[in-house]
Amino acid sequence: MNYPLTLAQMLEHAHRIHGDKCVQTVLPNGEMHRYTYAALYERVKSLANAITELGIQRGDRVATYASNTYQHLELYYAIPCIGAVLHPLNIRLSAVQLAQIVHEAEDKLIFVDGAFSEQFGDLRNKIGCKRIVRFNLMPADTDTSYEQLLGEAEPTYTWDIQDENWAMGLCYTSGTQGEPRGVLYTHRSMFLHTLAVNQADVFGLTEADVVLPLVPMFHAMAWGLPYACMFAGADMVLPGPKPTCLADLIAENDITVAAGVPTVWAKAYPDLQRRRQDISSLRRVIVGGEAMPSTLIEAYEKELGVEVCHAWGMTEMSPTGTCSKLRGTHQNLSDAKKWDIKAKQGRPVPGVELRLAAEASTSFTELPWDGETVGEVQVRSPWTASRYYKSEPTTEHFTADGWLRTGDLATIDAEGYMQIVDRAKALIRSGGESISSIALETALLKHPRVLEAAVIGVPDEKWGERPLAVVVLTPVGAECNTRNGFSLFPDQIPNRTEEALRGQLAAEFPKFWIPDRFVFVDEIPKTSVGKSDKRAILGMFVSTGNSDLP
Ligand code: ADP
């Protein structure tokens, strides 16, 4: 059969087979909204009619300005299922950036969470008279009410996606390197991505899971979880617009799987460790977006008994590309070796092809998978973009034979485990040699006094660039006193931390890798999706053209 791979088929399956499963959302007042897939399905149908009645047609872009809530989940289905294109806006970008994105996408309608009314005001002033619909409406709001629209709409709708290659979603990269770029997904690509991530050796979600997606629904389609969860039939808990205590959320809702960037897990660790007993339902955390240091993997696996599923991907890949799981043959390895393997970005998800290309070479030269040779990772798969939105593929991002140039530099070993060394643009070039910022950061994080670390290259007259380490120290006494590598013993904390850090790096790396300067700060600037913002860090030191430090 030529069976169409569409989100409407996925929604129908979720409703018919898992109609009694639950979606819960933490409301702005702290209360929990709770309903079943069946109730969600009814509302999605009304919403489909309401959006159609607002004049939205096939292919039109419809934006959302919201966090992880049930209304956003309804929009994740209703917009694509009528043939329109879901465009989640990253609410943490500046109004100027977002205005450009809305302009390029030509969004016809924007759904806004009233919890963000104030910050949305800035954007609204810049985008002219777009049609706005709000949920969580405040009494003074004059926009169209989401609930009123739903209440007035017909509750029946016949899906009519005629081609699985119709666009279903548009997501912009978070702009860690350069300006955000749009990526368009199709029903087919998202359907296949959903099947791929639900495999046992990838996210491995099951009907029995209760999943907490902490990754925002505006970041790389929340890693596909809104679709993966409902296709698998897992219960979902959505954290809503206000920050909540992670340990409480896990404990009170028997969360089994949670997904977020490494910063989230680093911050939450001390609290989760204190409340080990309360969070015993948690079996797996899905981590990606940035490298998860092996020390943190060890802390979660050994101390909390939580499996770490370390994944790598890009907005351009829907976003999942690789996942680091141990092979059967690894079971007898020492713990330290196991965690080192899991700290790699892992093996390609079935369906994804990887290759390693010689950097800066105009013609393609494939490099060996020997775990040592560093090259640029190139990718192709049924869920990888072949161009950016509204632009022709350029050789900067796509090869002549149709592979995506990820801009990530990595090694791949004989077993197929990829290890990211750096983003090509972040690699530090000193005296003609390369220095990996990720390797230095990982090593720094092994020191008990280091809570967070970011290494950047600052311009240097003699060497071109030299590494500079920016470090957040763990407050004395707040270190985790465990037996593993993440642990420390306060009486052994060296007084001269910088010296100790230099010593630690010197044991692992050549002399020229050791950062010239260490700067201790209270906080490392983060991007809109919680990654270390290296451009902002560099700006702290070289904005006036003077790389001298405070
Ligand atoms: P942006 O490019 O704006 O940051 P994305 O969120 O799509 O937007 O970022 C994709 C990039 O994030 C990848 O190319 C890679 O550099 C980085 N990345 C994602 N996951 C990992 C990981 N597990 N380890 C290291 N880097 C990662």
Side-chain angles (χ1 to χ4, degrees):
M1 288 177 197
N2 188 5
Y3 184 87
L5 307 181
T6 73
L7 295 189
Q9 319 296 91
M10 284 174 45
L11 177 66
E12 287 298 324
H13 174 84
H15 170 236
R16 178 168 288 265
I17 306 302
H18 304 296
D20 60 342
K21 299 312 297 285
C22 276
V23 177
Q24 299 191 74
T25 303
V26 184
L27 298 174
N29 64 6
E31 284 173 15
M32 198 63 113
H33 173 276
R34 185 171 198 277
Y35 68 172
T36 60
Y37 280 17
L40 173 140
Y41 176 81
E42 296 306 325
R43 284 169 58 91
V44 167
K45 291 212 149 181
S46 299
L47 188 53
N49 279 315
I51 299 173
T52 308
E53 275 159 32
L54 289 174
I56 298 301
Q57 296 175 355
R58 196 208 127 195
D60 286 344
R61 271 76 64 208
V62 178
T64 57
Y65 189 92
S67 61
N68 296 12
T69 68
Y70 66 97
Q71 299 98 329
H72 207 172
L73 187 61
E74 290 163 0
L75 290 160
Y76 251 68
Y77 283 93
I79 297 169
C81 287
I82 64 163
V85 181
L86 164 75
H87 176 203
L89 295 172
N90 180 340
I91 60 173
R92 298 200 194 117
L93 291 181
S94 72
V96 173
Q97 275 176 312
L98 277 179
Q100 279 163 0
I101 288 173
V102 169
H103 177 72
E104 181 177 274
E106 296 176 75
D107 295 315
K108 286 231 167 111
L109 171 67
I110 308 183
F111 285 89
V112 178
D113 185 339
F116 304 117
S117 282
E118 215 178 304
Q119 67 181 66
F120 180 71
D122 280 351
L123 175 59
R124 178 176 219 156
N125 294 335
K126 293 186 169 50
I127 55 176
C129 49
K130 296 270 175 195
R131 185 79 197 254
I132 312 287
V133 176
R134 276 188 212 232
F135 44 88
N136 295 333
L137 206 69
M138 293 307 193
D141 279 337
T142 51
D143 289 318
T144 309
S145 148
Y146 183 85
E147 288 305 326
Q148 194 178 337
L149 271 186
L150 249 73
E152 290 166 359
E154 282 293 317
T156 54
Y157 192 100
T158 308
W159 311 123
D160 186 25
I161 305 297
Q162 289 161 18
D163 185 340
E164 62 185 22
N165 291 308
W166 280 6
M168 61 69 51
L170 174 65
C171 206
Y172 278 72
T173 60
S174 55
T176 311
Q177 310 269 316
E179 287 310 305
R181 281 186 288 267
V183 180
L184 202 59
Y185 312 110
T186 64
H187 282 262
R188 174 188 154 83
S189 68
M190 197 48 77
F191 194 107
L192 291 171
H193 179 265
T194 307
L195 292 180
V197 296
N198 273 347
Q199 293 174 96
D201 272 341
V202 191
F203 296 171
L205 303 181
T206 71
E207 186 271 348
D209 278 315
V210 184
V211 181
L212 173 67
L214 296 164
V215 47
M217 286 166 82
F218 53 74
H219 179 205
M221 304 300 280
W223 302 347
L225 288 168
Y227 301 123
C229 288
M230 287 190 60
F231 214 20
D235 283 342
M236 295 176 80
V237 175
L238 302 172
K242 297 244 168 82
T244 27
C245 167
L246 192 50
D248 282 349
L249 215 50
I250 295 170
E252 287 162 16
N253 299 288
D254 293 327
I255 302 292
T256 61
V257 178
V261 291
T263 322
V264 166
W265 301 116
K267 278 211 174 121
Y269 178 73
D271 194 32
L272 296 181
Q273 204 228 16
R274 256 193 314 276
R275 298 185 52 189
R276 279 201 289 288
Q277 311 302 334
D278 300 346
I279 60 148
S280 59
S281 60
L282 190 65
R283 70 179 179 94
R284 175 177 298 155
V285 294
I286 300 168
V287 196
E290 258 196 317
M292 178 81 161
S294 60
T295 42
L296 201 54
I297 295 177
E298 178 178 353
Y300 271 80
E301 298 222 332
K302 192 163 174 181
E303 287 305 305
L304 303 184
V306 173
E307 187 202 354
V308 174
C309 169
H310 182 203
W312 164 88
M314 303 173 76
T315 306
E316 291 85 338
M317 301 182 66
S318 299
T320 317
T322 64
C323 185
S324 205
K325 290 270 173 101
L326 296 180
R327 297 184 61 197
T329 50
H330 294 151
Q331 295 313 322
N332 294 329
L333 293 178
S334 67
D335 281 353
K337 283 209 170 110
K338 284 184 187 166
W339 290 311
D340 281 346
I341 293 174
K342 298 198 82 169
K344 296 182 177 186
Q345 281 66 23
R347 306 210 292 171
V349 168
V352 172
E353 278 183 76
L354 295 185
R355 69 183 189 185
L356 215 49
E359 230 197 309
S361 132
T362 41
S363 61
F364 170 68
T365 315
E366 176 135 31
L367 297 175
W369 289 21
D370 57 11
E372 284 179 7
T373 311
V374 176
E376 184 195 43
V377 182
Q378 300 185 349
V379 180
R380 63 178 187 176
S381 83
W383 52 87
T384 296
S386 55
R387 62 176 64 194
Y388 288 103
Y389 186 58
K390 286 195 174 167
S391 72
E392 289 304 316
T394 59
T395 49
E396 189 191 349
H397 299 293
F398 299 92
T399 66
D401 58 346
W403 292 61
L404 169 74
R405 300 185 59 191
T406 64
D408 283 337
L409 301 177
T411 60
I412 304 181
D413 67 21
E415 291 180 301
Y417 284 84
M418 178 184 82
Q419 180 160 27
I420 302 277
V421 171
D422 231 324
R423 285 184 157 194
K425 286 184 185 164
L427 198 70
I428 301 162
R429 316 271 178 182
S430 187
E433 302 277 350
S434 298
I435 299 175
S436 157
S437 65
I438 293 185
L440 287 173
E441 288 158 10
T442 304
L444 286 170
L445 284 163
K446 287 184 187 155
H447 192 279
R449 285 277 349 247
V450 177
L451 187 63
E452 286 184 81
V455 178
I456 56 165
V458 290
D460 181 275
E461 263 178 33
K462 187 167 174 198
W463 301 108
E465 273 186 334
R466 288 297 302 144
L468 176 151
V470 184
V471 174
V472 180
L473 292 178
T474 313
V476 178
E479 304 87 351
C480 314
N481 216 347
T482 66
R483 277 170 294 115
N484 60 30
F486 193 65
S487 72
L488 45 144
F489 303 94
D491 53 338
Q492 291 174 11
I493 296 170
N495 290 330
R496 304 185 64 187
T497 311
E498 179 172 333
E499 215 170 279
L501 296 181
R502 284 180 186 282
Q504 176 145 329
L505 296 182
E508 240 184 276
F509 302 106
K511 209 167 156 212
F512 78 94
W513 277 49
I514 313 300
D516 287 356
R517 311 285 292 262
F518 284 75
V519 183
F520 297 94
V521 295
D522 290 337
E523 212 173 332
I524 287 179
K526 298 284 185 323
T527 68
S528 60
V529 294
K531 307 184 189 194
S532 296
D533 190 340
K534 298 210 170 164
R535 282 196 296 171
I537 299 169
L538 190 62
M540 285 160 59
F541 302 117
V542 295
S543 57
T544 57
N546 170 8
S547 67
D548 232 342
L549 307 177

